[in-house]
C-alpha cells in the first residue's frame, strides 16, 4: 500500500501502522514465552526492551506533537488517559526486563507471560482507536 500524500490521511496511515507494529511485537514476544530462547536470552530481552521503549517513544511523540494538533478540532484527552494505563504496565514490564538482564537467573517466562497477558487489553484496546475519526474532522 502506498502512503497517502494528504497530511491528515498520512497521519491516520502512520498511526494505524505504528499501532499494528506494536501489536505484532506483542504477539512475537508472547509466542516465545511458552518455549523461551534461553540460549539467546540476552537478545530476546533486548528485543522486549526495544519493543517497550519504542511504545514509550511513540507515546511521547503523540503527546507532545500529535495530540495538541488533533485537540484543536476534537477532544483526544481520553487517549492521554489510555497512555497512562499503558505506561503503568510498561514500567512494570521494563523493570522486570532490566532485572532479568542484570541477573538472567531471575528470568521466568511465566511471570513475563502473565504481565504481557495483563497488558494485552490496554495495548490492543488503545490500538483500536477510531483513527477513521481523525481524517474527516480535518476536512474543510
Amino acid at each position: 500500500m502506498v502512503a497517502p500524500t494528504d497530511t491528515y490521511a498520512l497521519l491516520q496511515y502512520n498511526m494505524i501502522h505504528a499501532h499494528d507494529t506494536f501489536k505484532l511485537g506483542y504477539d512475537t514476544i508472547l509466542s516465545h514465552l511458552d518455549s523461551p530462547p534461553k540460549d539467546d536470552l540476552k537478545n530476546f530481552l533486548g528485543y522486549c526492551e526495544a519493543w517497550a521503549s519504542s511504545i514509550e517513544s511513540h507515546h511521547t511523540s503523540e503527546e507532545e506533537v500529535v495530540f495538541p494538533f488533533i485537540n484543536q478540532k476534537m477532544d483526544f484527552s481520553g487517549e492521554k488517559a489510555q497512555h497512562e494505563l499503558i505506561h503503568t504496565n510498561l514500567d512494570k514490564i521494563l523493570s522486570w526486563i532490566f532485572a532479568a538482564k542484570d541477573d538472567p537467573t531471575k528470568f521466568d517466562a511465566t511471570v513475563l507471560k502473565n504481565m504481557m497477558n495483563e497488558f494485552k487489553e490496554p495495548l490492543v484496546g488503545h490500538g483500536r482507536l477510531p483513527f477513521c475519526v481523525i481524517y474527516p474532522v480535518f476536512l474543510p
Side-chain angles (χ1 to χ4, degrees):
M1 178 177 185
V2 176
T5 56
D6 174 84
T7 302
Y8 305 108
L10 183 60
L11 171 62
Q12 180 184 28
Y13 174 90
N14 286 333
M15 295 287 270
I16 290 168
H17 286 10
H19 287 97
D20 285 350
T21 300
F22 301 137
K23 170 84 170 63
L24 288 170
Y26 173 91
D27 291 342
T28 298
I29 292 167
L30 203 59
S31 73
H32 283 84
L33 293 176
D34 286 331
S35 180
K38 292 185 179 179
D39 59 332
D40 196 20
L41 194 57
K42 180 180 177 181
N43 284 321
F44 177 67
L45 290 171
Y47 178 85
C48 295
E49 180 184 353
W51 169 79
S53 296
S54 68
I55 295 172
E56 287 187 329
S57 296
H58 170 77
H59 283 175
T60 298
S61 296
E62 282 184 330
E63 292 169 9
E64 292 177 0
V65 178
V66 177
F67 290 177
F69 174 71
I70 292 173
N71 275 325
Q72 294 173 14
K73 299 266 184 161
M74 60 189 299
D75 181 14
F76 246 53
S77 60
E79 300 312 306
K80 178 91 165 112
Q82 284 184 359
H83 283 187
E84 290 170 5
L85 177 59
I86 287 169
H87 288 278
T88 297
N89 285 288
L90 275 179
D91 290 345
K92 185 172 136 181
I93 290 169
L94 279 168
S95 292
W96 186 91
I97 289 168
F98 293 144
K101 283 177 74 174
D102 288 343
D103 180 359
T105 64
K106 292 183 179 180
F107 178 80
D108 183 336
T110 303
V111 171
L112 182 55
K113 186 174 184 177
N114 289 339
M115 285 191 286
M116 294 294 287
N117 283 329
E118 290 172 16
F119 185 53
K120 183 175 184 171
E121 186 49 41
L123 179 68
V124 174
H126 176 66
R128 284 190 221 114
L129 170 73
F131 290 108
C132 57
V133 302
I134 295 172
Y135 183 66
V137 167
F138 287 94
L139 290 175

